Amino acid sequence: MLFKQPESSHEGDCPICCLPHSINSDKATLMSCCGKSICDGCDYANMSRETASNLHHVCLFCRQPRSTTKVDYNLHFEKRAAANDPVALKRIGMKRCDTGDFKGAFEYWTKAAELGNSSAHYNLSVLYQGGRGIERDVEKEKYHLEEAAIAGHPQARCNLSGYEWENERIERAVKHLIITANLGHNVSVQALKECYKEGKVSKEDLAGALRAHQAAIDASKSPQREAAEKYLAKNAHRIIYN
């Protein structure tokens, strides 16, 4: 199970255009009303249409009015967390972590991980690795990394690769890198190139990983997403608080 290639990254697909999300979560908007992640392409196209038609801005998925203030945005997540929504639990855990409340973050991430949130598993691995709010525990760190990696979390699998490398299990380390490269992870591609120089990976395996990596990148592209990227590059902010 650990070395089975995930069908997609932990980010999944945009629920509107059904294209794979970029593994860069900054290229999507997390909606506080429903907890869905909408790609920038769909979000920008819809908001442009609403602005041109002088319509109120609503969520593309659940059609609820969009949060326009930080207070409203956080309040929506608090309500969803109370209903045990894993995305909201993970989000509030991040807020706790940002304020230095690692014990609070641990509690929220533990709940989210129990509900299957892969990012929460990864975040827990970081806490166990650094001993923040909890005692350091290498075995629990590795467990949460593996759970996140199985769900398609590229950084978690990249960390596992480093763990295997440190323990001189080179074949397992390279397998992890190939799987993450296939998901479109740039750092893994660079690591594989270094492995090839050192004779740790074959030319055929590197070539296959490079093709799969490019295919994953291409699959997450669309004209709408490119238009949104150009707009955000010029304006350096999103149209509505997200």
Side-chain angles (χ1 to χ4, degrees):
M1 178 67 77
L2 179 59
F3 289 102
K4 181 180 179 181
Q5 180 70 47
E7 293 184 3
S8 66
S9 80
H10 68 302
E11 297 292 348
D13 299 338
C14 171
I16 305 303
C17 64
C18 298
L19 292 177
H21 276 304
S22 166
I23 60 174
N24 181 359
S25 60
D26 290 341
K27 294 186 177 182
T29 297
L30 180 61
M31 308 305 296
S32 62
C33 45
C34 57
K36 298 297 182 181
S37 184
I38 309 296
C39 78
D40 282 350
C42 291
D43 192 39
Y44 174 65
N46 180 62
M47 294 189 71
S48 296
R49 176 187 62 82
E50 291 172 332
T51 299
S53 301
N54 199 28
L55 300 173
H56 291 296
H57 296 305
V58 299
C59 170
L60 258 175
F61 186 82
C62 69
R63 311 308 296 176
Q64 292 297 311
R66 294 186 58 151
S67 301
T68 56
T69 69
K70 190 173 183 178
V71 172
D72 285 344
Y73 188 73
N74 291 332
L75 181 61
H76 287 160
F77 275 117
E78 292 283 354
K79 290 180 178 179
R80 295 192 64 81
N84 286 327
D85 179 281
V87 174
L89 290 167
K90 188 266 294 186
R91 173 82 183 188
I92 294 177
M94 291 296 298
K95 299 292 289 185
R96 296 291 187 274
C97 184
D98 289 343
T99 61
D101 180 10
F102 299 118
K103 289 185 178 180
F106 175 78
E107 293 175 0
Y108 277 103
W109 288 340
T110 297
K111 291 179 182 179
E114 290 173 350
L115 293 169
N117 188 278
S118 59
S119 292
H121 275 295
Y122 174 74
N123 292 342
L124 286 171
S125 77
V126 175
L127 291 185
Y128 279 115
Q129 190 276 332
R132 294 182 172 183
I134 52 176
E135 292 186 9
R136 290 192 64 187
D137 191 317
V138 175
E139 290 304 314
K140 288 183 179 180
E141 174 198 356
K142 187 179 178 184
Y143 164 75
H144 286 292
L145 283 176
E146 290 180 347
E147 289 296 308
I150 289 170
H153 197 294
Q155 188 56 54
R157 191 174 290 278
C158 213
N159 288 5
L160 284 173
S161 177
Y163 176 84
E164 298 293 0
W165 198 276
E166 290 175 0
N167 288 276
E168 299 184 353
R169 293 193 284 263
I170 307 304
E171 184 177 349
R172 290 172 64 90
V174 169
K175 283 183 179 179
H176 281 306
L177 290 175
I178 290 175
I179 291 173
T180 52
N182 291 348
L183 293 173
H185 193 244
N186 294 330
V187 173
S188 296
V189 168
Q190 296 305 315
L192 283 172
K193 290 179 179 179
E194 292 301 318
C195 289
Y196 173 70
K197 292 178 183 178
E198 297 174 7
K200 307 296 186 183
V201 62
S202 70
K203 182 178 181 179
E204 292 74 17
D205 285 344
L206 175 61
L210 291 175
R211 288 193 297 270
H213 172 266
Q214 189 59 53
I217 297 296
D218 291 342
S220 67
K221 292 181 179 180
S222 73
Q224 291 81 7
R225 292 182 181 184
E226 291 176 3
E229 187 171 3
K230 290 179 181 179
Y231 172 84
L232 292 171
K234 290 181 179 179
N235 292 273
H237 65 81
R238 296 182 186 277
I239 302 171
I240 269 191
Y241 182 80
N242 59 63

